[in-house]
Amino acid sequence: MSHIEPSRPLLHLFQAAGFNILQGSDYHAPLDQADELAKNLIAQLRDDVDMVVLNGDLFDTPDGQSAQRQIGDVLRAVAAKTDKPVIYVPGNHCLRG
């Protein structure tokens, strides 16, 4: 993905036994679009969930170390806009590139 498309749903709702999880993954965003990714994720937050899970490949980078600051920035921005837990599980594109 060369840029974040606002019309593409970034988060999906999963429901199981009354437990609601808002989940997203595999954005493969360029590192210079961390702010745009955070804004689009925040715009899709919902009040009727128990947690937000971002599992892997937020960014696509040749060096996982270079993405660490941007990953932290996105997670802090999302967490600041919800009172629900935000869980992050790194993907191979964020760790190894």
Side-chain angles (χ1 to χ4, degrees):
M1 173 188 301
S2 61
H3 67 281
I4 306 303
E5 301 172 34
S7 61
R8 177 180 172 235
L10 296 179
L11 296 172
H12 305 278
L13 181 65
F14 291 93
Q15 299 175 310
F19 195 77
N20 299 322
I21 300 171
L22 201 55
Q23 180 274 334
S25 66
D26 296 304
Y27 306 124
H28 299 271
L31 289 177
D32 63 354
Q33 293 187 10
D35 290 340
E36 187 176 349
L37 177 60
K39 287 176 190 174
N40 286 326
L41 289 169
I42 289 166
Q44 294 183 33
L45 290 174
R46 299 170 52 144
D47 291 330
D48 62 341
V49 298
D50 298 295
M51 72 172 51
V52 178
V53 176
L54 298 173
N55 57 306
D57 298 344
L58 297 182
F59 297 99
D60 194 7
T61 176
D63 174 17
Q65 287 290 17
S66 62
Q68 298 307 306
R69 184 179 60 81
Q70 285 86 347
I71 291 168
D73 290 348
V74 169
L75 295 176
R76 281 187 292 279
V78 172
K81 296 297 183 179
T82 182
D83 61 347
K84 309 301 182 194
V86 176
I87 313 257
Y88 173 67
V89 180
N92 63 316
H93 286 257
C94 291
L95 294 176
R96 296 186 300 266

